[in-house]
Amino acid sequence: QVQVVESGGGLVQAGGSLRLSCAASRSIFSIYLMGWYRQAPGKERELVGTTTTGGVTNYADSVKGRFTISMDNAKNTVYLQMTSLKPEDTAVYYCRTRGRVGVSTNDYWGQGTQVTVSS
């Protein structure tokens, strides 16, 4: 069964920190990219950042210097360390995993975890 499960969301005050985790099931093979996207109410889903299994990262300008993505390849898990949080970071955060199930390479998404930053 293919599963991508996020955890770690919650309510935090502005200036605070939060760490999100995302675990992809072992049924997804040859994962080469994992990352985070977010969607605020009334807005489109946007990139937060991604990392390859080789450690190449890419961040949205709005989070550079504040958010850090890391990946544990052995555990099929990606983390998002968020610091200096702002109210505009409030959104549902989704994990994306790109890998292979059977003969097909696809993107697999989690259900999302809510992050709320109060001012």
Side-chain angles (χ1 to χ4, degrees), residues 19-26 28 31-36 51-55 57 68-80 95 97:
R19 189 192 194 209
L20 305 183
S21 300
C22 169
S25 60
R26 293 292 184 180
I28 304 175
I31 292 175
Y32 63 88
L33 182 144
M34 295 185 77
W36 294 92
T51 183
T52 68
T53 51
T57 56
T68 303
I69 290 177
S70 60
M71 186 172 171
D72 186 332
N73 297 348
K75 295 182 179 179
N76 281 8
T77 299
V78 66
Y79 305 95
L80 180 66
C95 176
T97 298

XYZ file of all heavy atoms in Angstrom, residues 19-26 28 31-36 51-55 57 68-80 95 97:
270
model
N 8.736 21.611 13.547
C 9.378 20.623 12.683
C 8.340 19.660 12.153
O 7.621 19.019 12.925
C 10.446 19.849 13.453
C 11.307 18.945 12.569
C 12.132 18.009 13.403
N 13.201 17.363 12.662
C 13.675 16.161 12.957
N 13.167 15.479 13.963
N 14.661 15.643 12.244
N 8.270 19.569 10.841
C 7.370 18.633 10.184
C 8.149 17.402 9.733
O 9.324 17.502 9.373
C 6.702 19.271 8.973
C 5.950 20.584 9.191
C 5.287 21.022 7.888
C 4.946 20.460 10.306
N 7.464 16.269 9.743
C 8.041 15.027 9.245
C 7.107 14.423 8.200
O 5.895 14.605 8.261
C 8.231 14.017 10.381
O 9.080 14.513 11.381
N 7.705 13.702 7.279
C 6.914 13.009 6.266
C 7.575 11.669 5.983
O 8.751 11.627 5.609
C 6.833 13.830 4.997
S 6.148 12.932 3.583
N 6.811 10.609 6.137
C 7.316 9.271 5.885
C 6.590 8.652 4.701
O 5.360 8.651 4.656
C 7.131 8.394 7.116
N 7.362 8.151 3.758
C 6.800 7.463 2.600
C 6.946 5.958 2.789
O 7.959 5.488 3.305
C 7.512 7.903 1.332
N 5.933 5.233 2.375
C 5.951 3.789 2.590
C 7.024 3.117 1.748
O 7.446 3.639 0.714
C 4.576 3.189 2.267
O 4.231 3.440 0.913
N 7.413 1.937 2.203
C 8.459 1.168 1.532
C 8.017 0.670 0.165
O 8.855 0.242 -0.635
C 8.850 -0.025 2.398
C 9.549 0.366 3.696
C 10.901 0.954 3.415
N 11.631 1.262 4.633
C 12.840 1.791 4.656
N 13.442 2.083 3.524
N 13.434 2.038 5.806
N 7.114 2.442 -2.147
C 7.614 3.398 -3.131
C 9.118 3.185 -3.247
O 9.862 3.396 -2.293
C 7.322 4.851 -2.730
C 5.832 5.056 -2.487
C 7.827 5.805 -3.806
C 5.480 6.437 -1.971
N 13.063 6.294 -4.670
C 12.714 7.692 -4.402
C 13.925 8.554 -4.702
O 15.031 8.253 -4.252
C 12.279 7.875 -2.944
C 10.941 7.160 -2.706
C 12.163 9.345 -2.599
C 10.490 7.185 -1.264
N 13.722 9.604 -5.484
C 14.849 10.497 -5.738
C 14.559 11.945 -5.393
O 15.457 12.794 -5.448
C 15.345 10.378 -7.178
C 14.347 10.769 -8.234
C 14.242 12.081 -8.672
C 13.539 9.808 -8.828
C 13.365 12.428 -9.660
C 12.646 10.157 -9.814
C 12.556 11.470 -10.238
O 11.669 11.819 -11.213
N 13.314 12.222 -5.005
C 12.989 13.575 -4.588
C 11.858 13.531 -3.569
O 10.884 12.788 -3.737
C 12.576 14.417 -5.803
C 12.253 15.892 -5.543
C 12.730 16.746 -6.712
C 10.774 16.103 -5.299
N 12.002 14.318 -2.531
C 10.928 14.539 -1.577
C 10.906 16.025 -1.266
O 11.945 16.709 -1.332
C 11.120 13.740 -0.285
C 11.060 12.231 -0.498
S 11.145 11.285 1.048
C 9.463 11.480 1.675
N 9.729 16.509 -0.913
C 9.662 17.927 -0.629
C 8.356 18.353 -0.011
O 7.482 17.527 0.276
N 8.251 19.643 0.188
C 7.107 20.230 0.866
C 6.485 21.336 0.013
O 7.204 22.140 -0.592
C 7.541 20.801 2.216
C 7.991 19.759 3.172
C 9.260 19.301 3.362
C 7.160 19.013 4.067
N 9.276 18.317 4.321
C 7.994 18.121 4.777
C 5.801 19.010 4.361
C 7.513 17.236 5.741
C 5.324 18.145 5.317
C 6.172 17.274 6.000
N 14.151 18.348 -1.798
C 15.501 17.824 -1.727
C 15.573 16.535 -2.518
O 14.615 15.757 -2.555
C 15.942 17.582 -0.279
O 17.304 17.120 -0.273
C 15.076 16.547 0.425
N 16.691 16.304 -3.155
C 16.924 15.029 -3.815
C 17.642 14.104 -2.848
O 18.173 14.538 -1.823
C 17.786 15.201 -5.067
O 19.104 15.575 -4.673
C 17.203 16.251 -5.997
N 17.668 12.823 -3.180
C 18.384 11.880 -2.326
C 19.877 12.169 -2.336
O 20.598 11.735 -1.439
C 18.121 10.442 -2.776
O 18.379 10.332 -4.180
C 16.689 10.030 -2.502
N 20.319 12.906 -3.311
C 21.719 13.307 -3.361
C 22.012 14.558 -2.565
O 23.163 15.007 -2.503
N 20.965 15.140 -1.956
C 21.183 16.293 -1.089
C 21.071 17.643 -1.766
O 21.393 18.668 -1.150
N 19.106 20.733 -2.683
C 17.886 21.347 -2.165
C 17.474 22.556 -3.001
O 18.298 23.176 -3.670
C 18.072 21.791 -0.702
O 19.205 22.667 -0.621
C 18.284 20.598 0.208
N 14.564 24.672 6.684
C 15.598 23.737 6.246
C 14.976 22.370 6.007
O 14.261 21.848 6.862
C 16.710 23.611 7.296
O 17.273 24.890 7.562
C 17.802 22.673 6.790
N 15.262 21.810 4.846
C 14.788 20.471 4.500
C 15.937 19.491 4.642
O 17.070 19.779 4.223
C 14.259 20.440 3.061
C 12.957 21.226 2.968
C 14.030 19.014 2.593
C 12.401 21.298 1.570
N 15.624 18.345 5.211
C 16.609 17.273 5.285
C 15.902 15.956 5.030
O 14.688 15.842 5.185
C 17.310 17.261 6.646
O 16.376 17.060 7.687
N 16.688 14.974 4.639
C 16.089 13.689 4.270
C 16.901 12.548 4.844
O 18.136 12.585 4.823
C 16.024 13.577 2.747
C 15.297 12.360 2.231
S 15.080 12.466 0.436
C 14.469 10.830 0.085
N 16.185 11.556 5.364
C 16.809 10.310 5.812
C 16.469 9.264 4.757
O 15.359 8.719 4.746
C 16.274 9.917 7.190
C 16.982 8.708 7.767
O 17.476 7.869 6.973
O 17.029 8.580 8.999
N 17.411 9.014 3.863
C 17.142 8.111 2.748
C 16.776 6.708 3.219
O 15.912 6.052 2.635
C 18.361 8.034 1.828
C 18.698 9.366 1.194
O 17.918 10.301 1.251
N 19.872 9.446 0.600
N 17.413 6.249 4.279
C 17.172 4.890 4.755
C 15.753 4.709 5.279
O 15.207 3.609 5.261
C 18.179 4.534 5.842
N 15.161 5.809 5.730
C 13.819 5.735 6.316
C 12.740 6.276 5.384
O 11.576 6.365 5.778
C 13.790 6.523 7.635
C 14.664 5.939 8.725
C 14.539 6.755 10.010
C 15.388 6.168 11.126
N 15.284 6.964 12.378
N 13.124 6.673 4.170
C 12.141 7.304 3.261
C 11.408 8.444 3.956
O 10.184 8.582 3.834
C 11.116 6.277 2.759
C 11.648 5.414 1.642
O 12.834 5.464 1.316
N 10.790 4.609 1.054
N 12.143 9.235 4.683
C 11.542 10.298 5.484
C 12.206 11.633 5.174
O 13.435 11.709 5.036
C 11.685 9.982 6.976
O 10.998 8.760 7.264
C 11.080 11.084 7.827
N 11.374 12.661 5.083
C 11.870 14.003 4.870
C 11.361 14.889 6.004
O 10.266 14.681 6.523
C 11.427 14.556 3.495
C 9.922 14.750 3.414
C 12.153 15.850 3.159
N 12.184 15.844 6.394
C 11.854 16.745 7.487
C 11.856 18.191 6.988
O 12.581 18.531 6.058
C 12.870 16.607 8.618
C 13.030 15.198 9.117
C 14.042 14.376 8.627
C 12.164 14.674 10.068
C 14.196 13.081 9.071
C 12.308 13.372 10.521
C 13.324 12.578 10.014
O 13.456 11.293 10.455
N 11.063 18.998 7.646
C 11.063 20.433 7.365
C 11.181 21.157 8.702
O 10.248 21.159 9.502
C 9.778 20.868 6.654
C 9.689 22.366 6.325
C 10.752 22.745 5.296
C 8.295 22.720 5.792
N 3.316 16.970 1.729
C 4.569 16.308 1.373
C 4.433 15.672 -0.006
O 3.420 15.029 -0.302
C 4.881 15.238 2.409
S 6.353 14.250 2.060
N 6.373 13.082 -2.698
C 7.409 12.063 -2.878
C 7.403 11.633 -4.336
O 6.347 11.262 -4.865
C 7.128 10.841 -1.989
O 7.153 11.235 -0.621
C 8.168 9.757 -2.217
